[in-house]
Amino acid sequence: KTLAFPYGLVEGEPTFPLTEWDPARLERGLSGPAAQVATRGAMANAQTHCLQLPHLYLFAHLAQGGTVESADLAGFARRLLPGLEGLIAEAWQGLTTAEPSAQRKLAQQVRAQAGGSHALGDLKGLMFDDPDRFLTDLAMNLEVRAALTEFAQASPVDAQAISKLLAALRPYQQRTGFVDAYGGAVYEKMNRPLEQVDDPAIQTALQHFVDWRDPSVRQGVTQRLLDAMEAFAKRG
């Protein structure tokens, strides 16, 4: 009586709350030895399940014997918001595969659909709040991803680069209310480049991410880092 539980496969923990799309990683995670001997199926975890709909769909599809090639992401999106399935599926995939310019174009297209009258599919209950919230969250995810990629490529990492990143990231952070330590894409594309910035407040906040297991240090560290970045950008 065994159950496969590839912890962190749908969404790593702790990570900054961004919608993920990494089919190859899910496929690897569900084809390992533990999954092969599980007789009672598989289960997944997520810290922000309302943001991880594309991964939750793909996990269920793969766990039931499907493949990445046979997955129908647009078909799943149709059961959320029929009529917008093509755009939603392209936007989900573009989160990790598109270039920043394409991500921003997709964000504009998705954001333009918010505020309209939308038919709801039979899986409408998976959306957090309402279609406008879902669509705006998706658009903001695309914008944050674009900004992170450009920041990671910035040379030097100066006040202008930090200010441009904050313009996309800070409104999204405030929308989610996430303030604690994280790993994942934001850590790799923001924290690591910030290591080269000569600013005591930024460097102190970055060091606190190393001690994230201590609640007294972890809680509020994202807020402290963003505040330090904003202060540095204003001085620059």
Side-chain angles (χ1 to χ4, degrees):
K1 297 180 179 180
T2 57
L3 182 74
F5 183 20
Y7 191 86
L9 189 60
V10 165
E11 180 184 19
E13 185 181 349
T15 55
F16 193 92
L18 291 175
T19 301
E20 300 289 343
W21 181 249
D22 190 347
R25 182 169 176 266
L26 262 66
E27 192 171 45
R28 289 193 303 271
L30 283 169
S31 61
Q36 297 304 310
V37 300
T39 60
R40 295 296 181 94
M43 65 181 293
N45 68 293
Q47 63 175 14
T48 56
H49 68 276
C50 57
L51 287 173
Q52 305 308 330
L53 297 188
H55 261 195
L56 290 173
Y57 160 72
L58 187 58
F59 182 96
H61 175 73
L62 296 174
Q64 295 177 85
T67 64
V68 170
E69 292 73 23
S70 66
D72 183 5
L73 196 60
F76 172 64
R78 186 180 305 115
R79 299 180 65 185
L80 297 170
L81 290 174
L84 297 180
E85 61 270 17
L87 176 60
I88 293 172
E90 185 180 2
W92 277 339
Q93 293 169 315
L95 289 168
T96 54
T97 62
E99 295 297 318
S101 59
Q103 289 172 327
R104 290 195 175 93
K105 182 177 179 180
L106 281 168
Q108 291 175 350
Q109 293 173 341
V110 171
R111 197 183 288 275
Q113 297 299 325
S117 178
H118 301 290
L120 299 176
D122 64 300
L123 296 182
K124 61 185 180 181
L126 293 179
M127 287 188 295
F128 181 58
D129 198 9
D130 58 22
D132 284 353
R133 172 78 196 216
F134 169 79
L135 291 166
T136 303
D137 282 346
L138 181 52
M140 294 183 81
N141 266 264
L142 287 159
E143 292 161 351
V144 168
R145 292 278 187 174
L148 285 169
T149 296
E150 290 176 341
F151 185 73
Q153 297 171 349
S155 182
V157 178
D158 56 13
Q160 183 178 1
I162 290 175
S163 181
K164 185 177 180 181
L165 172 61
L166 287 174
L169 182 60
R170 189 121 214 195
Y172 182 73
Q173 178 270 326
Q174 292 170 341
R175 183 175 177 85
T176 64
F178 186 86
V179 298
D180 286 357
Y182 52 77
V186 176
Y187 188 91
E188 294 301 321
K189 293 188 173 184
M190 183 176 83
N191 289 41
R192 292 199 183 280
L194 284 172
E195 292 173 0
Q196 62 185 280
V197 177
D198 184 13
D199 181 79
I202 289 178
Q203 294 308 315
T204 296
L206 291 176
Q207 285 300 313
H208 288 167
F209 279 83
V210 180
D211 301 321
W212 66 267
R213 295 181 187 277
D214 180 351
S216 66
V217 174
R218 179 179 74 240
Q219 293 173 1
V221 66
T222 295
Q223 189 75 46
R224 296 195 297 273
L225 177 59
L226 295 181
D227 286 345
M229 293 167 61
E230 186 170 343
F232 178 83
K234 287 180 178 178
R235 290 195 303 272

